[in-house]
Amino acid sequence: MTQSSRDRTPAGDGPVVSPRDTETAERLLSLGRLTVEGRLVQASNATLYCSIEWEGLTAACVYKPVAGERPLWDFPDGTLAEREVAAYAVSETMGLRVVPPTVHRDGPYGPGMVQLWVEPDPEVDLVALSRSEDEAIRRMAVFDAVVNNADRKIGHLLPVSDGHVYGCDHGVCFSAEYKLRTVLWQWRGQRLTTEAVEALRRVDKALRNGPLRETLLRLLTAEEVEATVRRVELMLKHKIHPFPPEDWPAIPWPPM
């Protein structure tokens, strides 16, 4: 069974869990019964659209089993699911909440990443949004710089009706080498906002002495965690958005 990326609604008759209710969403994603409804055929790795139910709560979610990950030349095999969970942990610590609730758990096809489905507002022009100076997009650009996102495409932006923007597909983040590749370069070299600096200070503290460090060390290599610390240090030191890398393609292809 296959489905397009725009024709899905949550299955089930129970109350639907909001991505803003992270505590409830994490419990549902961790403990709920997963039922595979279809497959996102445009994804390069096995990406399954599922319904999930637990104690009367219901939601739609994405399940990416490790067994369905395609090997990459520049990332260790079988690590993409952990990187998605790490990205969620960083987003929450920063207080930006740009990644939908995400957990690592066992599923019908083995262990993998399970993320709450966020239905984007169909009225939003994603290309125009990605080129805009919307503050929600600027938060995403700051987050991507912290996690060293090597694949921020336009189609990975999930704007919702209240103006908030979520992002998905963070499996190729946290490389120890600088590999930031994104469609969101409009602030390169510009001063960071006060909000961004405060978010960076939160994540800096948590990376040094807080539970985030322990969480990331379970999901990433020690070298990758230390590289994350250094990226945050540099952003706090210079207080500007980073510039594109000189030895790495700056924009993903295709950009959508």
Side-chain angles (χ1 to χ4, degrees):
M1 177 180 178
T2 61
Q3 294 176 288
S4 72
S5 61
R6 290 283 186 174
D7 62 354
R8 277 177 275 282
T9 54
D13 299 322
V16 176
V17 175
S18 166
R20 293 187 179 276
D21 186 357
T22 56
E23 184 177 350
T24 300
E26 287 177 22
R27 287 202 304 270
L28 172 62
L29 295 172
S30 299
L31 303 173
R33 179 173 58 87
L34 277 172
T35 302
V36 176
E37 305 283 351
R39 177 172 173 261
L40 278 66
V41 295
Q42 294 177 340
S44 57
N45 297 298
T47 303
L48 305 176
Y49 177 79
C50 302
S51 60
I52 190 165
E53 188 275 333
W54 176 70
E55 294 191 349
L57 297 174
T58 186
C61 63
V62 171
Y63 163 47
K64 296 182 181 180
V66 173
E69 293 180 7
R70 185 179 64 179
L72 300 173
W73 68 268
D74 53 345
F75 285 86
D77 292 352
T79 68
L80 305 191
E82 286 90 346
R83 295 172 193 279
E84 297 245 25
V85 178
Y88 171 64
V90 169
S91 167
E92 290 296 291
T93 301
M94 295 181 74
L96 301 179
R97 296 198 163 181
V98 294
V99 180
T102 310
V103 304
H104 195 282
R105 58 163 288 180
D106 200 13
Y109 299 103
M113 180 279 283
V114 179
Q115 183 175 88
L116 195 70
W117 177 267
V118 172
E119 187 66 30
D121 184 345
E123 299 301 316
V124 176
D125 182 330
L126 290 182
V127 174
L129 179 66
S130 72
R131 294 176 176 175
S132 75
E133 296 193 357
D134 188 296
E135 285 303 310
I137 293 296
R138 191 168 190 173
R139 294 184 192 103
M140 189 71 70
V142 173
F143 165 77
D144 283 342
V146 170
V147 301
N148 198 17
N149 192 347
D151 193 36
R152 172 62 72 202
K153 295 179 179 178
I154 295 171
H156 296 167
L157 301 173
L158 306 172
V160 293
S161 58
D162 65 0
H164 190 73
V165 178
Y166 292 95
C168 63
D169 289 337
H170 300 107
V172 288
C173 293
F174 297 104
S175 172
E177 301 177 26
Y178 183 46
K179 291 189 176 183
L180 185 58
R181 186 168 59 176
T182 175
V183 294
L184 309 178
W185 287 114
Q186 51 266 57
W187 296 281
R188 62 191 181 279
Q190 293 186 27
R191 296 286 294 180
L192 293 170
T193 64
T194 299
E195 178 192 52
V197 172
E198 291 173 351
L200 288 167
R201 285 174 176 158
R202 282 192 292 271
V203 77
D204 180 62
K205 181 179 179 180
L207 281 168
R208 295 176 186 279
N209 303 307
L212 179 63
R213 183 178 184 85
E214 297 178 7
T215 297
L216 294 190
L217 285 171
R218 291 196 300 269
L219 299 166
L220 309 169
T221 68
E223 181 185 16
E224 289 166 341
V225 175
E226 290 308 315
T228 305
V229 172
R230 291 194 298 272
R231 287 193 298 273
V232 174
E233 283 180 345
L234 283 172
M235 292 181 73
L236 282 172
K237 178 181 178 180
H238 299 289
K239 293 184 173 59
I240 63 171
H241 287 266
F243 288 92
E246 296 180 354
D247 57 350
W248 180 257
I251 299 174
W253 191 262
M256 284 299 293

